[in-house]
Amino acid sequence: YNGEYFQQHEGTAMGNSLSPFIANLFMSKFETEVKDKFEYFPRVWFRYVNDIFAVFDTKATRLDNFVAKLNNRFPTIKFTYEVEHNEQLPFLDVLVIRNSENKLEFDVYRKETATLRYILNDSQHPFQHKMASFNFLIHHLLNFPLSKERYTDNSKFASLPYEPKFTRGLDKMFKNININLVYNSKNKLQALLGNPKDKIDNNEKSGIYEISCKDCDQKYIGQTKRSILTRFKEHMAHLKYGRTEKCCVAQHAFDNNHRVDINNLKLIRNVINIRQLDAFESLEIIKCNSSMNKDNGPIPTSPLFAMINKDSYGSVNRGNKFSINSANV
């Protein structure tokens, strides 16, 4: 920055796509070591990113002593804790409740400062943003293990911890943004409130594609940043005008007098991030046993390819082009 280089000494870089994965690996190793070395470790320990839900036996050890031992392992990893209050403890968007029978019940958790105000119909937000409000509300109702009473309360936004002024029926919310949905006995609510974007034909998508031969089992695996249909037309143009040296598909069809048409085109993997195209193309070529490709793609050798399930995808060492000892991975 400003002509000066800075080196990061700890943690992971913000914005790097690998950072969350590496952090999660570190915490998994951290938890495994703690479980093996500590005299006491909670038998219920669920972690999501940096939030942990645990059932702690206060008769076995003191909670503050346990947390202090955790914080002494790494100077940069610090734990804080919150205990249940009135037999209730929030974890993410779930409110865990211990009932009179000492069993756990669940409810949707909303902060006391929640206003339950959502995007109105006359706003300039995209329609999918307005629908997102309902998607997550319906997701709670369909996926949380709610009792019949709590299901009814949440469907009407009449949860007990909130003042009556926040009570608002789901039907009123739909009318508020003027959304009309058609129901029948075969429709599922999740399907009706799914992705509001129009479905795009696979041939109009970009990514990794496959062209199979009509007269044999040979397949060509390729990549494109444009639609796969546009790329397929280029393959056919090479065949039509005899430019077989530029295209494996044209070369195969010309040399063997085989046929290829649009029905043989298939999208294998829709890839949005163009930086991932080389890796996915090489992976699909390695997985294919009958490839008409001349090589194993832009990344022909990678230790990760040795982790491919050989029973599902055939031998990785196809044609002796690629050989890695998986024990070294």
Side-chain angles (χ1 to χ4, degrees):
Y1 174 76
N2 198 24
E4 185 177 358
Y5 290 92
F6 296 83
Q7 182 178 5
Q8 185 167 340
H9 296 285
E10 58 189 27
T12 56
M14 294 181 63
N16 191 309
S17 58
L18 277 177
S19 294
F21 175 70
I22 295 174
N24 193 50
L25 283 180
F26 175 86
M27 288 306 303
S28 297
K29 185 174 185 295
F30 180 96
E31 291 166 327
T32 302
E33 292 179 348
V34 166
K35 185 176 181 180
D36 293 337
K37 294 181 180 180
F38 281 18
E39 295 182 1
Y40 172 79
F41 190 82
R43 64 184 181 90
V44 177
W45 178 279
F46 298 120
R47 179 177 58 83
Y48 180 79
V49 188
N50 63 333
D51 290 292
I52 298 170
F53 178 83
V55 177
F56 200 88
D57 185 3
T58 55
K59 296 180 180 179
T61 184
R62 290 180 53 179
L63 178 58
D64 54 350
N65 291 340
F66 179 81
V67 174
K69 291 175 64 177
L70 288 176
N71 289 335
N72 286 333
R73 293 191 62 82
F74 286 96
T76 56
I77 304 296
K78 298 300 180 184
F79 291 80
T80 61
Y81 64 91
E82 179 182 354
V83 298
E84 64 180 84
H85 180 65
N86 293 331
E87 286 73 46
Q88 297 182 356
L89 182 66
F91 178 65
L92 302 176
D93 55 354
V94 180
L95 183 64
V96 183
I97 305 168
R98 183 163 57 165
N99 61 23
S100 58
E101 299 177 358
N102 207 31
K103 295 182 179 181
L104 297 183
E105 298 179 0
F106 304 93
D107 198 358
V108 178
Y109 173 69
R110 300 183 182 92
K111 294 182 179 180
E112 295 182 357
T113 56
T115 61
L116 302 185
R117 293 178 60 88
Y118 300 99
I119 302 174
L120 300 179
N121 185 51
D122 57 357
S123 72
Q124 297 302 312
H125 287 76
F127 177 75
Q128 57 266 33
H129 291 183
K130 302 174 185 178
M131 286 300 300
S133 301
F134 298 98
N135 286 342
F136 93 89
L137 293 173
I138 299 301
H139 175 81
H140 285 168
L141 292 176
L142 296 180
N143 293 278
F144 278 30
L146 302 174
S147 64
K148 184 176 181 180
E149 293 76 14
R150 289 196 174 90
Y151 182 93
T152 303
D153 288 341
N154 280 281
S155 65
K156 297 179 179 179
F157 294 96
S159 299
L160 296 179
Y162 304 100
E163 299 179 16
K165 68 179 182 179
F166 293 133
T167 302
R168 189 183 305 173
L170 188 59
D171 55 340
K172 294 181 181 179
M173 289 294 293
F174 274 98
K175 292 178 181 178
N176 195 36
I177 68 167
N178 193 25
I179 292 180
N180 296 317
L181 298 176
V182 178
Y183 295 90
N184 60 48
S185 59
K186 297 182 180 179
N187 284 338
K188 292 184 178 180
L189 195 55
Q190 283 182 315
L192 291 171
L193 298 179
N195 193 335
K197 295 182 180 179
D198 294 333
K199 293 184 178 179
I200 302 175
D201 187 276
N202 281 342
N203 287 346
E204 298 299 327
K205 295 180 180 180
S206 61
I208 309 303
Y209 63 92
E210 172 189 290
I211 302 176
S212 57
C213 178
K214 293 178 69 71
D215 300 300
C216 69
D217 61 352
Q218 292 288 296
K219 300 175 182 178
Y220 175 79
I221 309 296
Q223 63 163 278
T224 179
K225 303 173 186 176
R226 301 164 294 167
S227 72
I228 64 172
L229 180 60
T230 300
R231 187 70 184 100
F232 177 81
K233 292 179 179 179
E234 292 177 348
H235 285 292
M236 293 299 96
H238 290 317
L239 175 60
K240 179 179 179 179
Y241 297 107
R243 299 190 293 262
T244 57
E245 74 283 354
K246 295 185 177 182
C247 175
C248 294
V249 177
Q251 185 74 55
H252 174 82
F254 182 82
D255 292 345
N256 300 281
N257 195 25
H258 285 183
R259 297 166 297 163
V260 175
D261 61 32
I262 188 63
N263 295 323
N264 304 110
L265 175 65
K266 182 174 71 173
L267 178 71
I268 301 179
R269 189 186 296 268
N270 182 213
V271 181
I272 305 300
N273 189 341
I274 62 175
R275 294 181 297 179
Q276 300 174 354
L277 285 171
D278 288 350
F280 280 126
E281 180 187 15
S282 299
L283 175 63
E284 295 299 336
I285 293 175
I286 291 294
K287 287 163 53 177
C288 181
N289 285 326
S290 303
S291 171
M292 64 177 73
N293 295 72
K294 295 180 180 179
D295 53 42
N296 279 349
I299 309 176
T301 57
S302 170
L304 295 177
F305 291 153
M307 302 172 65
I308 297 175
N309 188 328
K310 299 181 182 181
D311 295 332
S312 299
Y313 303 115
S315 174
V316 173
N317 300 326
R318 178 169 51 81
N320 294 324
K321 295 180 180 179
F322 177 79
S323 178
I324 286 183
N325 183 358
S326 61
N328 295 328
V329 177

